Amino acid sequence: MLDQALLRTWGLYGLVQKEFARDKILATLAPLSEEQKKQAKSIFLAYLDVKNETELRSLMLAEALDEHELQRRAERFFSWLKHCEHYFRNQISSLFLKRKSSLDRAVYSLHWVDDEALAHELFIRLKERECSFEQLFCSLPAAPDERIPSGKQGPVALADVPPALAELLRVSDPGQVWPPQPAEGGWVIVQLEELQPAVFNQGLKRDFALELGDRWLQECMQEEDLKELLA
Protein backbone atom coordinates (compact mmCIF):
# COMPACT_ATOMS: atom_id res chain seq x y z
CA MET A 1 0.00 0.00 0.00
CA LEU A 2 1.18 3.51 -0.72
CA ASP A 3 2.50 5.53 2.21
CA GLN A 4 -0.29 7.56 3.89
CA ALA A 5 1.89 10.65 4.14
CA LEU A 6 2.54 10.49 0.41
CA LEU A 7 -1.16 10.12 -0.34
CA ARG A 8 -1.91 13.11 1.87
CA THR A 9 0.77 15.14 0.07
CA TRP A 10 -0.83 14.28 -3.26
CA GLY A 11 -4.28 15.15 -1.91
CA LEU A 12 -5.49 11.60 -2.56
CA TYR A 13 -5.77 10.17 0.95
CA GLY A 14 -9.44 11.07 1.40
CA LEU A 15 -10.32 9.68 -2.03
CA VAL A 16 -8.53 6.39 -1.33
CA GLN A 17 -10.26 6.04 2.05
CA LYS A 18 -13.60 6.72 0.39
CA GLU A 19 -13.02 4.01 -2.23
CA PHE A 20 -11.96 1.52 0.47
CA ALA A 21 -15.22 2.26 2.30
CA ARG A 22 -17.17 1.83 -0.94
CA ASP A 23 -15.51 -1.54 -1.54
CA LYS A 24 -16.53 -2.72 1.94
CA ILE A 25 -20.16 -2.05 1.05
CA LEU A 26 -19.84 -3.57 -2.42
CA ALA A 27 -18.43 -6.75 -0.87
CA THR A 28 -21.74 -7.29 0.96
CA LEU A 29 -23.84 -7.13 -2.22
CA ALA A 30 -24.96 -9.97 -4.44
CA PRO A 31 -22.65 -10.45 -7.45
CA LEU A 32 -23.78 -9.19 -10.83
CA SER A 33 -25.46 -11.63 -13.18
CA GLU A 34 -23.84 -12.35 -16.53
CA GLU A 35 -26.47 -10.18 -18.22
CA GLN A 36 -25.71 -7.28 -15.87
CA LYS A 37 -21.99 -7.64 -16.56
CA LYS A 38 -22.72 -7.26 -20.26
CA GLN A 39 -24.71 -4.08 -19.57
CA ALA A 40 -22.12 -2.58 -17.23
CA LYS A 41 -19.65 -1.26 -19.78
CA SER A 42 -22.18 0.62 -21.93
CA ILE A 43 -23.85 2.15 -18.86
CA PHE A 44 -20.48 3.18 -17.41
CA LEU A 45 -19.36 4.80 -20.68
CA ALA A 46 -22.68 6.61 -21.03
CA TYR A 47 -22.19 8.02 -17.53
CA LEU A 48 -18.73 9.26 -18.58
CA ASP A 49 -20.25 10.69 -21.78
CA VAL A 50 -17.91 8.62 -23.95
CA LYS A 51 -19.60 8.66 -27.35
CA ASN A 52 -17.29 6.84 -29.76
CA GLU A 53 -14.21 4.66 -30.11
CA THR A 54 -11.86 7.64 -30.33
CA GLU A 55 -13.06 9.00 -26.99
CA LEU A 56 -12.91 5.49 -25.51
CA ARG A 57 -9.29 5.04 -26.58
CA SER A 58 -8.42 8.46 -25.15
CA LEU A 59 -10.02 7.47 -21.85
CA MET A 60 -8.19 4.17 -21.68
CA LEU A 61 -4.88 5.85 -22.51
CA ALA A 62 -5.39 8.62 -19.94
CA GLU A 63 -6.37 6.12 -17.23
CA ALA A 64 -3.82 3.46 -18.31
CA LEU A 65 -6.58 0.84 -18.65
CA ASP A 66 -6.69 -2.30 -20.71
CA GLU A 67 -9.98 -3.95 -21.72
CA HIS A 68 -10.06 -6.21 -18.65
CA GLU A 69 -9.45 -3.33 -16.25
CA LEU A 70 -12.07 -1.20 -17.99
CA GLN A 71 -14.61 -4.00 -17.61
CA ARG A 72 -13.77 -4.42 -13.91
CA ARG A 73 -14.20 -0.69 -13.32
CA ALA A 74 -17.48 -0.70 -15.23
CA GLU A 75 -18.83 -3.62 -13.17
CA ARG A 76 -17.83 -1.90 -9.93
CA PHE A 77 -19.62 1.27 -11.03
CA PHE A 78 -22.70 -0.68 -12.11
CA SER A 79 -22.89 -2.57 -8.79
CA TRP A 80 -22.72 0.67 -6.83
CA LEU A 81 -25.28 2.33 -9.09
CA LYS A 82 -27.80 -0.52 -8.73
CA HIS A 83 -27.30 -0.48 -4.96
CA CYS A 84 -27.90 3.29 -4.78
CA GLU A 85 -30.96 3.13 -7.05
CA HIS A 86 -32.50 0.46 -4.83
CA TYR A 87 -31.43 1.84 -1.46
CA PHE A 88 -32.54 5.42 -2.19
CA ARG A 89 -35.51 4.65 -4.46
CA ASN A 90 -37.91 6.51 -2.14
CA GLN A 91 -35.74 9.63 -1.97
CA ILE A 92 -34.79 10.13 -5.61
CA SER A 93 -38.12 11.56 -6.79
CA SER A 94 -38.29 13.87 -3.74
CA LEU A 95 -34.85 15.24 -4.55
CA PHE A 96 -35.94 15.86 -8.14
CA LEU A 97 -39.00 17.83 -7.02
CA LYS A 98 -36.84 19.84 -4.63
CA ARG A 99 -34.32 20.67 -7.36
CA LYS A 100 -36.61 20.88 -10.37
CA SER A 101 -36.78 24.66 -10.61
CA SER A 102 -32.98 24.90 -10.84
CA LEU A 103 -32.79 22.04 -13.37
CA ASP A 104 -35.18 23.69 -15.84
CA ARG A 105 -33.28 24.95 -18.88
CA ALA A 106 -33.68 28.26 -20.65
CA VAL A 107 -32.84 29.71 -24.04
CA TYR A 108 -32.57 33.48 -23.83
CA SER A 109 -31.14 36.52 -25.56
CA LEU A 110 -29.14 39.11 -23.66
CA HIS A 111 -27.53 42.41 -24.54
CA TRP A 112 -25.18 44.33 -22.24
CA VAL A 113 -24.34 48.01 -22.64
CA ASP A 114 -22.55 50.45 -20.38
CA ASP A 115 -24.88 53.37 -21.10
CA GLU A 116 -28.23 53.53 -19.27
CA ALA A 117 -29.91 55.86 -21.78
CA LEU A 118 -28.92 53.59 -24.68
CA ALA A 119 -30.16 50.55 -22.78
CA HIS A 120 -33.61 52.11 -22.33
CA GLU A 121 -33.72 53.19 -25.98
CA LEU A 122 -32.91 49.64 -27.11
CA PHE A 123 -35.48 48.20 -24.73
CA ILE A 124 -38.23 50.41 -26.21
CA ARG A 125 -37.25 49.42 -29.75
CA LEU A 126 -37.40 45.74 -28.80
CA LYS A 127 -40.65 46.08 -26.88
CA GLU A 128 -42.31 47.95 -29.74
CA ARG A 129 -40.95 45.29 -32.12
CA GLU A 130 -39.06 47.87 -34.17
CA CYS A 131 -36.20 45.35 -34.23
CA SER A 132 -35.39 41.86 -33.01
CA PHE A 133 -32.52 40.78 -30.78
CA GLU A 134 -30.84 39.24 -33.86
CA GLN A 135 -30.99 42.58 -35.66
CA LEU A 136 -29.74 44.28 -32.52
CA PHE A 137 -26.68 42.04 -32.33
CA CYS A 138 -25.90 42.69 -36.00
CA SER A 139 -26.36 46.46 -35.85
CA LEU A 140 -24.46 47.18 -32.63
CA PRO A 141 -20.80 46.25 -32.27
CA ALA A 142 -19.77 44.64 -28.98
CA ALA A 143 -18.40 47.09 -26.44
CA PRO A 144 -14.60 46.84 -26.09
CA ASP A 145 -14.96 46.21 -22.35
CA GLU A 146 -18.17 44.13 -22.55
CA ARG A 147 -18.58 42.61 -19.07
CA ILE A 148 -21.28 40.08 -20.00
CA PRO A 149 -21.22 38.41 -23.43
CA SER A 150 -24.18 39.50 -25.53
CA GLY A 151 -26.04 37.10 -27.79
CA LYS A 152 -28.31 34.09 -27.70
CA GLN A 153 -27.57 31.75 -24.80
CA GLY A 154 -28.58 28.19 -24.01
CA PRO A 155 -30.17 25.90 -23.50
CA VAL A 156 -28.59 26.30 -20.07
CA ALA A 157 -29.76 25.00 -16.69
CA LEU A 158 -31.09 27.79 -14.45
CA ALA A 159 -28.76 26.47 -11.75
CA ASP A 160 -25.84 27.59 -13.95
CA VAL A 161 -27.22 31.11 -14.44
CA PRO A 162 -26.64 33.97 -11.94
CA PRO A 163 -29.47 33.82 -9.34
CA ALA A 164 -31.04 37.17 -10.23
CA LEU A 165 -31.12 36.30 -13.93
CA ALA A 166 -32.43 32.79 -13.21
CA GLU A 167 -35.34 34.22 -11.22
CA LEU A 168 -36.12 36.67 -14.03
CA LEU A 169 -36.19 33.86 -16.61
CA ARG A 170 -38.24 31.62 -14.33
CA VAL A 171 -41.12 34.13 -14.20
CA SER A 172 -40.89 35.17 -17.86
CA ASP A 173 -43.20 34.29 -20.72
CA PRO A 174 -41.55 33.28 -24.02
CA GLY A 175 -40.81 36.41 -26.03
CA GLN A 176 -41.05 38.72 -23.02
CA VAL A 177 -38.45 41.51 -22.94
CA TRP A 178 -37.47 42.89 -19.55
CA PRO A 179 -36.54 46.53 -18.88
CA PRO A 180 -32.80 47.16 -18.45
CA GLN A 181 -31.38 45.63 -15.30
CA PRO A 182 -28.15 46.86 -13.65
CA ALA A 183 -25.36 44.30 -14.00
CA GLU A 184 -21.55 44.36 -13.93
CA GLY A 185 -21.30 48.15 -14.03
CA GLY A 186 -23.68 48.45 -16.97
CA TRP A 187 -27.17 47.41 -18.06
CA VAL A 188 -28.59 44.21 -19.52
CA ILE A 189 -31.73 43.66 -21.57
CA VAL A 190 -33.04 40.10 -21.42
CA GLN A 191 -35.60 38.22 -23.47
CA LEU A 192 -36.69 34.66 -22.75
CA GLU A 193 -36.84 32.59 -25.93
CA GLU A 194 -37.84 29.24 -24.46
CA LEU A 195 -38.11 27.58 -21.06
CA GLN A 196 -37.52 23.81 -21.12
CA PRO A 197 -38.89 22.07 -18.00
CA ALA A 198 -36.59 19.42 -16.54
CA VAL A 199 -37.60 15.85 -17.37
CA PHE A 200 -37.23 13.15 -14.74
CA ASN A 201 -35.36 10.80 -17.07
CA GLN A 202 -32.98 7.92 -16.46
CA GLY A 203 -29.95 10.19 -16.53
CA LEU A 204 -31.30 12.36 -13.71
CA LYS A 205 -32.41 9.33 -11.70
CA ARG A 206 -28.91 7.91 -12.05
CA ASP A 207 -27.21 11.16 -11.04
CA PHE A 208 -29.47 11.62 -8.01
CA ALA A 209 -28.97 8.02 -6.91
CA LEU A 210 -25.19 8.42 -7.10
CA GLU A 211 -25.31 11.77 -5.29
CA LEU A 212 -27.37 10.29 -2.45
CA GLY A 213 -25.09 7.28 -2.34
CA ASP A 214 -21.92 9.35 -2.04
CA ARG A 215 -23.51 11.53 0.63
CA TRP A 216 -24.46 8.43 2.60
CA LEU A 217 -20.99 6.95 2.10
CA GLN A 218 -19.42 10.11 3.53
CA GLU A 219 -21.71 9.91 6.56
CA CYS A 220 -20.76 6.26 7.09
CA MET A 221 -17.06 7.18 7.03
CA GLN A 222 -17.60 9.96 9.57
CA GLU A 223 -19.49 7.60 11.86
CA GLU A 224 -16.65 5.07 11.57
CA ASP A 225 -14.10 7.75 12.45
CA LEU A 226 -16.19 8.71 15.47
CA LYS A 227 -16.36 5.11 16.65
CA GLU A 228 -12.57 4.84 16.40
CA LEU A 229 -12.13 8.04 18.42
CA LEU A 230 -14.50 6.79 21.15
CA ALA A 231 -13.02 3.27 21.25
Side-chain angles (χ1 to χ4, degrees):
M1 181 182 290
L2 286 172
D3 181 77
Q4 287 190 15
L6 189 57
L7 288 173
R8 292 181 190 277
T9 300
W10 291 346
L12 297 175
Y13 182 72
L15 176 62
V16 170
Q17 290 295 95
K18 183 178 180 180
E19 295 310 320
F20 271 128
R22 198 190 311 272
D23 276 345
K24 285 183 181 180
I25 295 170
L26 289 170
T28 68
L29 307 180
L32 295 178
S33 66
E34 290 303 314
E35 185 60 33
Q36 287 175 324
K37 288 179 181 180
K38 292 177 183 177
Q39 299 173 23
K41 182 178 175 181
S42 62
I43 290 174
F44 179 55
L45 294 180
Y47 171 70
L48 296 178
D49 199 27
V50 174
K51 303 182 188 69
N52 52 52
E53 282 296 320
T54 302
E55 293 180 357
L56 175 57
R57 294 301 166 193
S58 296
L59 168 71
M60 294 176 69
L61 182 63
E63 299 288 331
L65 297 171
D66 59 26
E67 287 288 348
H68 176 68
E69 292 163 340
L70 176 64
Q71 181 64 31
R72 286 186 60 192
R73 185 178 292 190
E75 290 176 12
R76 182 175 183 267
F77 169 83
F78 188 76
S79 293
W80 178 252
L81 174 61
K82 298 309 291 181
H83 172 67
C84 292
E85 287 178 338
H86 174 74
Y87 195 84
F88 300 106
R89 62 189 181 280
N90 295 325
Q91 298 178 43
I92 293 173
S93 57
S94 297
L95 185 57
F96 170 73
L97 293 174
K98 182 179 179 181
R99 298 259 188 93
K100 184 184 180 306
S101 62
S102 64
L103 294 170
D104 291 343
R105 298 165 69 83
V107 179
Y108 63 95
S109 294
L110 177 149
H111 194 73
W112 183 92
V113 294
D114 58 3
D115 183 88
E116 183 178 2
L118 176 60
H120 282 280
E121 178 187 337
L122 295 175
F123 164 67
I124 292 171
R125 289 174 59 192
L126 288 165
K127 186 178 180 181
E128 298 298 326
R129 301 187 183 278
E130 294 178 9
C131 69
S132 66
F133 258 93
E134 288 77 9
Q135 292 168 331
L136 192 67
F137 300 144
C138 294
S139 63
L140 292 175
D145 61 342
E146 189 174 48
R147 313 287 174 81
I148 302 176
S150 295
K152 194 170 185 177
Q153 314 289 334
V156 59
L158 293 183
D160 298 328
V161 173
L165 176 56
E167 187 57 34
L168 205 63
L169 295 171
R170 191 175 287 117
V171 299
S172 297
D173 294 320
Q176 182 175 356
V177 182
W178 286 90
Q181 309 287 317
E184 296 294 329
W187 301 83
V188 292
I189 310 166
V190 179
Q191 181 181 48
L192 175 68
E193 307 289 347
E194 181 186 4
L195 190 63
Q196 302 173 352
V199 178
F200 193 34
N201 56 25
Q202 284 301 121
L204 276 180
K205 291 177 183 177
R206 176 203 64 200
D207 292 346
F208 285 148
L210 293 172
E211 179 184 337
L212 289 166
D214 269 20
R215 191 187 303 170
W216 172 68
L217 183 61
Q218 196 66 41
E219 291 169 358
C220 290
M221 292 172 64
Q222 291 171 352
E223 289 177 7
E224 193 63 32
D225 290 343
L226 183 60
K227 288 178 184 177
E228 290 181 7
L229 286 171
L230 296 177

